Amino acid sequence: QLQLVESGGGLVQAGGSLRLTCVASRSIFDIKALGWYRQAPGKQREFVAAITSGGTTTYADSVKGRFTISGDNAKNTVYLQMNSLQPEDTAVYYCNKVGVGLVPHNYWGQGSQVTVSS
């Protein structure tokens, strides 16, 4: 059974940076596509970014140019580098296997809280 563990969140001022880490329990190459989703207070969960085993990336319009998703097959790990953070980026961030239409599979972990102060 695939398990995903997120870490790296925290409190940062607007304009700052954080890097989130997602460690998978098995090869991310075999998973084919992993991504990040987030849920802000009072809002529904939304797609943030995804990466395929071949390195192709996709981003939500709201984070393009600011966030970068990457993977390390040797470490079974996916990262989300978040730069120029804004208060509206405040949310719990989750990684998950990404399916057709960027719909997440049901391998939810605890998530990692990102709080951006103004």
Side-chain angles (χ1 to χ4, degrees), residues 38-117:
R38 68 186 182 186
Q39 186 165 24
K43 295 185 177 180
Q44 295 187 3
R45 183 175 58 235
E46 65 176 347
F47 168 79
V48 177
I51 186 169
T52 70
S53 59
T56 301
T57 59
T58 302
Y59 298 93
D61 289 341
S62 60
V63 306
K64 286 180 180 177
R66 299 189 298 121
F67 291 10
T68 302
I69 188 170
S70 62
D72 186 336
N73 290 335
K75 299 175 68 174
N76 288 356
T77 299
V78 171
Y79 304 95
L80 184 67
Q81 179 66 47
M82 304 183 293
N83 299 325
S84 301
L85 284 162
Q86 304 169 248
E88 49 263 45
D89 295 316
T90 295
V92 178
Y93 285 71
Y94 303 88
C95 63
N96 211 330
K97 181 178 180 179
V98 178
V100 176
L102 303 180
V103 175
H105 288 226
N106 288 319
Y107 297 107
W108 301 108
Q110 292 183 338
S112 187
Q113 176 70 51
V114 172
T115 302
V116 184
S117 63

